[in-house]
Amino acid sequence: MIDFVQQTISGIAVGCVYGLIALGFVLIYKATEVVNFAQGELMMLGAFLSYTFIASLGLNYWLGFAACVICMAVLGMAMERLVVRPILGYPQFSIVMATIGLGMVLRALAGMFWGTDDLRIETPFSKGVVHMGPLVISADNLSIIVATALLCVILYSFFRFTRMGVAMQAVSQNMLAAYYMGIPVKKMFAAIWAISAMVATTAGILLAPITFIHANLGFLGLKAFPAAVLGGFTSIPGALAGGVIIGIVETLSGFYLPEGFKDIAAYVVLLAVLLLRPQGLFGGAALKKV
Amino acid sequence: MAFKIRTGYEGDLNLFKTPQSVASYGVLLLLLCAAPFVLGSYFLSQIVFVLIYTIVGIGLVLLSGYAGQTSIGHAAFLAIGAYTAANAAKFGVPIYIYLPAAGLLTGLVGWLVGLPALRLHGIYLAIATFAFALIVEEILARWETVTNGNEGMMVKPASVFGERLGEWGLYYLCIGVTVFVIVIAVNVIRSPTGRAFLALRDSETAARSMGVDSARYKTFAFALSAGMTGLAGVLYAHKLSFISPEMFTLALSIEFVMIIIIGGIASLRGAALGAVFMIMVDPLLVFVKDKLPALIGAITGSAMAQDKASVLLAAPGVKSLIFGLIIIFFIIYEPMGLDGRWMKIKTWFKAFPFYKPATFRRQKMYLKSERGR
């Protein structure tokens, strides 16, 4: 039993990272109806930048964190401006492939720039361990869980209560109508990509002490798809819940099922959800007017 | 778009649109058949790869370009075809039995994958196909009694009536299968099925209200596309004569999608052009890696720049960097692919001096939402 709880907790921590990446997908999809397949690569770049700022340049952890987030926000905007904006309005397939291409470019560049060795950063949480009765939770894991919950609340209220958040929702529903209503659609796009890149960076930096930083970290983004789908692809709390569920399923199947199931558990869940409840656990059925 | 003026219904029914195209495709086929007598074995095997990629590309063109369904998991279908061939060859089954069998089996799997497609569209479908591909990849690695796991398995040379199929035999087999697949694709496109595909692609709601059975045609598109890829898989296995799970990764699926993006998404000719392009990337890259550093050294006159360039070009990520840039470039600047460029050039000469770029401008849609469809 104690094994089960322990595994579940580490599953939640992993799941929170999936949830954070999924949050990036959801944000962009919610606001622009584009799915960014390069989200995992953004996370990877964030982690690499944190290495450069914190380990190489010797900045304070929090200062380095802030620097990374700002740099990545700029990069996110640049990506939107250079790659995504010229093809807006084209079929979704084109945009998906363009972001896949973007991911390949980012991964290759990161590999060239930072090399293929595993890198590591020190964080204020690296040493700590929290005891809860017989359970042991590392402070790293705890920091991920707390940060994720915090981000989720912030983003949820952003979309719910701020003018900009509501404007973004309007853009997502009908770009043209939003434009006629005086919403600066292009600026909204840039902003949402910046926010999404920032979220990805946060995920990357939080993850950096647990897994090593390497160019293939971006493939973790593929695990975030099941999370996003499970959550309904448009729901911010849904993405997080989906991530946690995927994390738990994966960890438990790695622990209890034979070897090999761990890697595909997430995708089996994904296919099952798509077959049984394509709108996800949290997505409402929306009707479309022709 | 450039339109061809039709004067009768016969024009629509013909396999070839003009007598010139009969002549040009005939010449192409003759050249391909004569190639082994002239070219060395390196070029021959490159052509075989081009043909294999063409077959997969045609499958994808039918699926994505005509039926409007996305798949980024076609490597899985190729793998199923390849492993079927490897296992059948192991037990001495002749190729004329397992080639069609592999096609049918893969088609069946494709039909099964198409079933979720009934409820999914756009991005969800892309994600579902890629999840399917990842699961297949894992099964290949784990199902050791059949696939020999990660160690991979040797593929016995194909045999026909007890005769071993050599390099030339495989070459002509590839040509035969490619022609077969192209004829099927052309026939499907000009039949009611193809028109139903187009209707489904452009508006599923409209198509359904006109009586198109969307479930039937979507699953058929998947089965057809997968079956073609399965045939390609058999040829692929025999060409490489060794297969292992790490050959059939997501990267290969993406290469397949690149074929149709580069060639032009709704064009059979584009599939062939894209395949040629994709196969040429590797030798070109080797050539560039070989020559470019020396050129840079000669221009800048410094040995340091030369060394730096050769180190950069030798980095493992160069190929994926170039692939990524190619994808982005084609999607932004040449969305109709090489075939589109070819048509533009042709139209330019035909309409000279009245060519207008707007003829080929694509309509952008800002209103359409893929949600809740």
Side-chain angles (χ1 to χ4, degrees), chain B residues 199-218:
Chain B
L200 277 176
R201 177 192 71 183
D202 290 339
S203 166
E204 195 180 331
T205 317
R208 279 167 70 172
S209 59
M210 296 301 287
V212 174
D213 184 350
S214 78
R216 204 180 113 205
Y217 286 111
K218 274 184 174 181

Side-chain angles (χ1 to χ4, degrees), chain B residues 36-316:
Chain B
F37 298 98
V38 186
L39 297 176
S41 83
Y42 171 74
F43 285 101
L44 225 51
S45 78
Q46 292 301 90
I47 295 178
V48 167
F49 279 119
V50 167
L51 292 173
I52 292 172
Y53 271 48
T54 307
I55 297 171
V56 179
I58 285 169
L60 269 175
V61 162
L62 282 181
L63 183 68
S64 303
Y66 283 89
Q69 308 295 307
T70 344
S71 167
I72 40 179
H74 257 55
F77 297 127
L78 192 81
I80 293 171
Y83 274 97
T84 311
N87 276 298
K90 196 166 74 182
F91 295 112
V93 181
I95 190 164
Y96 51 82
I97 291 179
Y98 66 74
L99 181 67
L104 288 177
L105 176 73
T106 323
L108 186 71
V109 176
W111 182 76
L112 287 176
V113 173
L115 286 180
L118 302 180
R119 303 185 61 177
L120 307 174
H121 49 82
I123 182 62
Y124 287 98
L125 190 57
I127 294 173
T129 51
F130 114 93
F132 163 74
L134 286 172
I135 291 175
V136 168
E137 200 187 321
E138 193 66 28
I139 291 175
L140 291 181
R142 301 285 166 193
W143 195 7
E144 292 185 349
T145 47
V146 173
T147 65
N148 207 16
N150 277 322
E151 284 171 22
M153 60 193 294
M154 300 297 290
V155 185
K156 273 195 185 165
S159 58
V160 184
F161 305 115
E163 287 286 316
R164 251 191 69 184
L165 204 61
E167 193 188 6
W168 282 38
L170 188 64
Y171 177 81
Y172 285 115
L173 183 68
C174 283
I175 292 182
V177 175
T178 312
V179 170
F180 173 73
V181 164
I182 289 174
V183 170
I184 288 199
V186 173
N187 279 332
V188 164
I189 289 168
R190 65 202 180 108
S191 71
T193 312
R195 313 234 186 278
F197 283 176
L198 287 180
L200 277 176
R201 177 192 71 183
D202 290 339
S203 166
E204 195 180 331
T205 317
R208 279 167 70 172
S209 59
M210 296 301 287
V212 174
D213 184 350
S214 78
R216 204 180 113 205
Y217 286 111
K218 274 184 174 181
T219 45
F220 179 66
F222 259 99
L224 194 65
S225 172
M228 287 175 178
T229 314
L231 292 180
V234 174
L235 302 174
Y236 193 70
H238 280 302
K239 177 65 207 159
L240 291 176
S241 69
F242 173 78
I243 48 176
S244 71
E246 66 256 31
M247 289 174 180
F248 305 100
T249 53
L250 190 60
L252 189 67
S253 298
I254 291 174
E255 276 189 32
F256 290 157
V257 180
M258 282 177 74
I259 296 175
I260 60 169
I261 286 180
I262 291 169
I265 193 158
S267 138
L268 296 181
R269 190 170 43 202
L273 292 175
V276 172
F277 188 100
M278 287 302 289
I279 298 298
M280 267 167 54
V281 167
D282 262 326
L284 273 182
L285 204 61
V286 171
F287 180 78
V288 167
K289 274 181 184 171
D290 219 28
K291 301 278 187 258
L292 192 65
L295 188 69
I296 289 175
I299 290 172
T300 57
S302 79
M304 211 181 76
Q306 182 174 345
D307 286 346
K308 215 160 197 173
S310 63
V311 168
L312 262 184
L313 282 171

Side-chain angles (χ1 to χ4, degrees), chain A residues 108-155:
Chain A
L109 287 179
M112 285 176 185
F113 196 75
W114 281 283
T116 45
D117 296 333
D118 290 346
L119 306 175
R120 215 189 154 106
I121 57 167
E122 285 295 314
T123 70
F125 325 108
S126 287
K127 296 283 181 307
V129 168
V130 179
H131 289 276
M132 259 189 216
L135 296 174
V136 182
I137 309 170
S138 74
D140 278 328
N141 283 351
L142 204 62
S143 75
I144 292 181
I145 297 173
V146 170
T148 308
L150 212 63
L151 256 180
C152 184
V153 171
I154 294 172
L155 288 171

